[in-house]
Amino acid sequence: MTERKPNLRPVRELTPSLEYRTIHGYRRAFRLAGSGPALLLIHGIGDNSTTWNTVQATLAQRFTVIAPDLLGHGKSDKPRADYSVAAYANGMRDLLSVLDIDRVTVIGHSLGGGVAMQFAYQFPQLVERLILVGAGGVTKDVNIALRFASLPMGSEALALLRLPLLLPALQAAGRVAGMVFGSTGMGRDLPDVLRILADLPEPTASWAFARTLRAVVDWRGQVVTMLDRCYLTESVPVQLIWGSHDSVIPVSHARMAHAAMPGSRLEIFDGSGHFPFHDDPDRFVEVVERFIDSTEPAVYDQDLLRNLLRTGISEGAISGSLDTRVAVLDAMGADERSAT
């Protein structure tokens, strides 16, 4: 890591402030802190911008850090609207435009990782670097609970959270399960799952959650994958961060994405679950800063993009072990693909 001078700004300047902008008639909430090169932090499904509290203030010592609540989440409006990954990418573009931010390093977690990839695909001229954390959309495998929740009966189950005492009972059971499973992936991820569930009883929140989930997951697993487009990141610095015990998106997805993305870097947090930036925030910040310090921002090259699209993916560009390369090719041949 390159040597840096200590940042001496008062702590009060680095505390994220909750702000709002109205775009296309809907109120968008986001947390903003710091100054310098811009980082866009995109949370996962059912979550909100507070999930980045463990790292946002520290990153803000060097960067302008924008952590939005996706539409349908957190403090943002929850209208009857398009909750697809592509629509979320559009929303990120619009918010950055309103904030007069032209270029960003994008950090996406879980669903937010899929949004980050889609954002880089739709708006490559806006992306300096890409950091994917336990990202969704690599291949169809996903936690069975999310498959169940995508079914009609799953939405009805979410509505049951509004019954008196049901949510506290689930939270109590979850705490007991967390102690039983300890440091396993499930044990690591349960507190965050319970935190997310606590926000879902509100009718518009549970409805938006169901719409978002069904845009990316059905009973067979994740609906679309990004492996067939990973080659388009050839000119973009990419850092992958995953927990070895991720109970939502298996760590095998990290290795597959790494194999399919030429020049990408992979950092696996041993013992961490689906939220490595909660399990070890100091290491997470260190990885992010080292990655940014050691890479140059991507330069948008329309001719290069045009040539990549014409040539398409090459099997020779897929790296990794034989098993990983075979898994990537099998997934690209069998999984559903994005049509956007």
Side-chain angles (χ1 to χ4, degrees):
M1 184 184 296
T2 57
E3 185 177 353
R4 298 188 300 273
K5 295 181 180 179
N7 191 300
L8 301 179
R9 286 178 294 166
V11 173
R12 62 180 175 82
E13 290 186 16
L14 307 182
T15 302
S17 60
L18 179 63
E19 301 187 20
Y20 300 91
R21 295 291 187 277
T22 298
I23 304 174
H24 308 312
Y26 298 123
R27 192 174 73 159
R28 316 288 180 119
F30 60 96
R31 297 176 194 275
L32 182 67
S35 61
L39 304 184
L40 176 66
L41 311 184
I42 309 177
H43 64 75
I45 190 169
D47 212 338
N48 60 72
S49 57
T50 62
T51 197
W52 301 107
N53 282 353
T54 53
V55 297
Q56 185 174 4
T58 306
L59 289 170
Q61 293 175 14
R62 293 185 55 203
F63 306 101
T64 298
V65 188
I66 310 104
D69 286 346
L70 294 174
L71 198 68
H73 294 71
K75 301 294 185 181
S76 289
D77 282 348
K78 302 169 180 65
R80 184 176 184 272
D82 182 359
Y83 288 107
S84 66
V85 171
Y88 279 132
N90 290 340
M92 296 300 95
R93 175 205 56 193
D94 294 343
L95 177 62
L96 292 176
S97 181
V98 167
L99 296 178
D100 292 324
I101 295 173
D102 297 324
R103 303 262 290 164
V104 290
T105 290
V106 189
I107 305 178
H109 173 241
S110 198
L111 170 74
V115 174
M117 271 294 292
Q118 187 71 27
F119 181 81
Y121 173 66
Q122 291 179 199
F123 312 111
Q125 71 278 11
L126 305 181
V127 177
E128 294 187 337
R129 299 173 187 84
L130 192 59
I131 302 175
L132 305 179
V133 187
V138 177
T139 184
K140 66 182 180 183
D141 294 337
V142 74
N143 188 287
I144 193 171
L146 290 177
R147 300 186 190 209
F148 174 79
S150 71
L151 300 173
M153 69 181 73
S155 298
E156 297 301 323
L158 290 176
L160 292 176
L161 293 174
R162 294 194 285 274
L163 293 176
L165 302 181
L166 181 58
L167 183 58
L170 283 176
Q171 291 174 326
R175 285 190 290 270
V176 172
M179 290 186 288
V180 171
F181 291 108
S183 61
T184 65
M186 185 177 295
R188 289 262 188 201
D189 292 335
L190 264 174
D192 282 298
V193 171
L194 293 173
R195 174 180 58 82
I196 291 170
L197 281 177
D199 289 335
L200 293 184
E202 199 274 317
T204 57
S206 59
W207 183 89
F209 175 88
R211 286 289 297 268
T212 303
L213 183 63
R214 287 172 185 160
V216 292
V217 174
D218 65 16
W219 66 271
R220 295 173 298 175
Q222 297 189 79
V223 174
V224 296
T225 69
M226 63 186 182
L227 287 176
D228 60 332
R229 301 181 188 207
C230 283
Y231 72 98
L232 294 174
T233 64
E234 181 177 310
S235 62
V236 181
V238 178
Q239 173 74 64
L240 302 164
I241 301 175
W242 234 272
S244 64
H245 289 26
D246 193 324
S247 63
V248 179
I249 309 290
V251 70
S252 59
H253 289 209
R255 299 187 177 94
M256 293 172 71
H258 180 47
M261 292 181 170
S264 63
R265 304 181 185 184
L266 173 60
E267 189 88 13
I268 295 177
F269 285 32
D270 289 334
S272 286
H274 191 51
F275 295 79
F277 51 96
H278 291 177
D279 297 332
D280 195 342
D282 290 341
R283 181 182 174 190
F284 183 87
V285 170
E286 180 185 352
V287 170
V288 169
E289 291 186 337
R290 183 171 66 240
F291 171 64
I292 293 175
D293 288 342
S294 60
T295 56
E296 293 296 324
V299 176
Y300 176 61
D301 186 334
Q302 180 61 46
D303 290 334
L304 174 60
L305 178 60
R306 183 181 295 113
N307 289 334
L308 285 172
L309 287 167
R310 286 172 174 167
T311 303
I313 191 169
S314 167
E315 291 187 17
I318 300 173
S319 61
S321 67
L322 176 60
D323 287 346
T324 299
R325 295 199 303 272
V326 169
V328 170
L329 293 171
D330 285 349
M332 286 194 294
D335 286 355
E336 302 290 342
R337 299 189 184 187
S338 173
T340 55

